Amino acid sequence: MEIYRYSFEDWLKGEIHNEDLEGLVENKQLDKEDLKKIRSDQEIAYSIYIAMHLQMMKVAFYQRYEYSFAKEDLLNQQLKNAEEDLQNFKVNNPVLYWEAINGIDNRYKLTPPFIPFYLMCSPFIDELEEIVPTHITYYTKSNFYRWLNWLKEDGKSDTEPSFEVSNEDFKKQVERSQKRLDRLLELDSKSAKEYAQEFFQLSFIKERVVKLMTEQATDTLDKSAFKQQGSNTPKEKLSYTWLSKSDTDLIELHQHLINAKLIDPATTLEQFKAVFRAQPLHIVKDNPIKWHEDNASELLYFILQLEGTDDEMYPDGWLIKKGNRANYKRLTACFVKPDGEQFTENFKQAKQNLKDPVLAPAKQAVIDSIVNQFY
């Protein structure tokens, strides 16, 4: 019997990492069967999260649909919105879209501490997923759109579409995975399987279903109102658009800026996310981020570094999307001085000052040291 240096248990304990697994198998330090167990746990957790999230979207819509006296109109409007969402995702995230349809995603990056959260469809994972679009965003939108089309054709097909998992022994694998994972995390003395059985009785699930219902209804109203105003109505200006595909980059940037004392330590993650998630400026400017001092050149330098200075490598932007020109209105709406007063400096002149340069090298170095961590 061949003896291997590492096992499935070592992965559970965090002693071997996902990026090393294939190499360990090739070097005969990890058994192929243990790798299969690891991949099985990752795939199941990832699939269950998508399936549960999709189910919540369906329940949120169906609770509105069931009580509507204009079901066909409501369904047509929701279908139109869902189709627009999918098209916008494809246009704004072409790489993510290509990866998603080809099954290239983050399922094999899941580590043991995260897997139970995926199995119970935890709001903690939602917090990460909402920061930037991900493959899961596309999977749920795409399958929700498919389900809406099925609902529209109700009666012509007996089989309701669902998020399919390829493995025939899926249920058995879930049970085996659950036994292995139960010891990682105790959830109010219940297993993740029991949570799944009581899925729609959990308070946070009910809250999220209500939230989805509100978002779906609001989205319908917003789009209808915009169309009534006419196509010549100017679009509202938005805050910065975060482009990084990593789930945690925005969280880390928030913490780095606080640690470096570049922003007010009272800046919440929600407040920070609003500035970088393409939110309407009239909302963001009510709760902007306080920059640590009155230096407009330093703030502008920070934004330009996030956009990326190499136009050939990052024509559309690096960590944040570039505007057609330097958008100073956006900058002054999203950031204010330490005392809460708006920046009134001439930012065009501030940008010129960066070339002279006026900004001290030490200040540039602090910002560079933070931003360069995301390369």
Side-chain angles (χ1 to χ4, degrees), residues 64-93:
R64 296 165 55 217
Y65 181 78
E66 186 178 13
Y67 292 101
S68 174
F69 288 115
K71 286 182 170 57
E72 187 175 353
D73 292 343
L74 176 62
L75 181 55
N76 286 336
Q77 183 62 57
Q78 191 67 52
L79 263 169
K80 195 174 297 183
N81 292 348
E83 186 175 15
E84 288 180 13
D85 285 344
L86 275 176
Q87 290 302 320
N88 289 336
F89 186 96
K90 294 175 184 178
V91 171
N92 297 328
N93 308 280

Side-chain angles (χ1 to χ4, degrees), residues 36 96 194 201:
K36 287 181 181 178
L96 274 179
E194 288 174 305
Q201 300 304 316

Side-chain angles (χ1 to χ4, degrees), residues 261-264 289-299 335-339 341 343 345 359-360 363:
K261 299 182 180 179
L262 289 177
I263 61 174
D264 184 354
I289 296 172
K290 291 182 180 178
W291 192 246
H292 75 117
E293 59 180 41
D294 297 352
N295 192 329
S297 295
E298 182 187 32
L299 173 57
F335 293 89
V336 293
K337 295 179 180 181
D339 60 2
E341 293 296 317
F343 282 97
E345 284 76 5
L359 185 62
K363 291 182 178 292

Side-chain angles (χ1 to χ4, degrees), residues 174-219:
V174 170
E175 291 174 0
R176 289 197 296 267
S177 295
Q178 189 57 58
K179 290 177 182 178
R180 295 196 291 265
L181 294 167
D182 273 345
R183 62 184 176 275
L184 289 177
L185 184 68
E186 184 176 349
L187 304 170
D188 296 334
S189 301
K190 297 178 184 178
S191 69
K193 183 179 179 181
E194 288 174 305
Y195 266 93
Q197 290 172 344
E198 300 175 5
F199 190 58
F200 294 108
Q201 300 304 316
L202 296 173
S203 58
F204 71 77
I205 295 296
K206 291 180 179 179
E207 290 171 3
R208 288 161 66 208
V209 168
V210 172
K211 179 183 175 185
L212 282 167
M213 290 174 64
T214 304
E215 288 175 352
Q216 290 173 4
T218 303
D219 190 45

Side-chain angles (χ1 to χ4, degrees), residues 133-298:
T134 66
H135 308 98
I136 286 179
T137 308
Y138 181 77
Y139 293 147
T140 52
K141 287 179 182 293
S142 176
N143 283 279
F144 182 55
Y145 177 66
R146 186 163 68 105
W147 177 79
L148 288 171
N149 273 302
W150 170 83
L151 189 60
K152 183 176 176 65
E153 300 297 321
D154 190 16
K156 298 181 181 179
S157 171
D158 295 330
T159 305
E160 178 179 355
S162 60
F163 182 75
E164 299 294 340
V165 182
S166 58
N167 200 312
E168 294 179 359
D169 297 325
F170 183 67
K171 291 184 179 179
K172 292 181 180 179
Q173 288 192 47
V174 170
E175 291 174 0
R176 289 197 296 267
S177 295
Q178 189 57 58
K179 290 177 182 178
R180 295 196 291 265
L181 294 167
D182 273 345
R183 62 184 176 275
L184 289 177
L185 184 68
E186 184 176 349
L187 304 170
D188 296 334
S189 301
K190 297 178 184 178
S191 69
K193 183 179 179 181
E194 288 174 305
Y195 266 93
Q197 290 172 344
E198 300 175 5
F199 190 58
F200 294 108
Q201 300 304 316
L202 296 173
S203 58
F204 71 77
I205 295 296
K206 291 180 179 179
E207 290 171 3
R208 288 161 66 208
V209 168
V210 172
K211 179 183 175 185
L212 282 167
M213 290 174 64
T214 304
E215 288 175 352
Q216 290 173 4
T218 303
D219 190 45
T220 299
L221 289 172
D222 288 346
K223 289 180 178 178
S224 298
F226 181 77
K227 289 176 181 178
Q228 290 175 5
Q229 291 170 5
S231 58
N232 294 326
T233 303
K235 293 184 179 179
E236 184 171 8
K237 300 294 183 182
L238 304 176
S239 62
Y240 298 100
T241 301
W242 189 250
L243 298 179
S244 170
K245 291 187 288 184
S246 170
D247 292 342
T248 59
D249 277 357
L250 195 56
I251 297 175
E252 291 177 8
L253 179 61
H254 170 251
Q255 194 57 55
H256 287 320
L257 292 176
I258 289 178
N259 292 343
K261 299 182 180 179
L262 289 177
I263 61 174
D264 184 354
T267 305
T268 66
L269 181 57
E270 286 301 316
Q271 179 185 0
F272 191 77
K273 284 161 54 178
V275 166
F276 292 101
R277 288 176 57 192
Q279 299 297 304
L281 287 185
H282 81 271
I283 295 176
V284 176
K285 70 180 183 181
D286 289 337
N287 194 20
I289 296 172
K290 291 182 180 178
W291 192 246
H292 75 117
E293 59 180 41
D294 297 352
N295 192 329
S297 295
E298 182 187 32

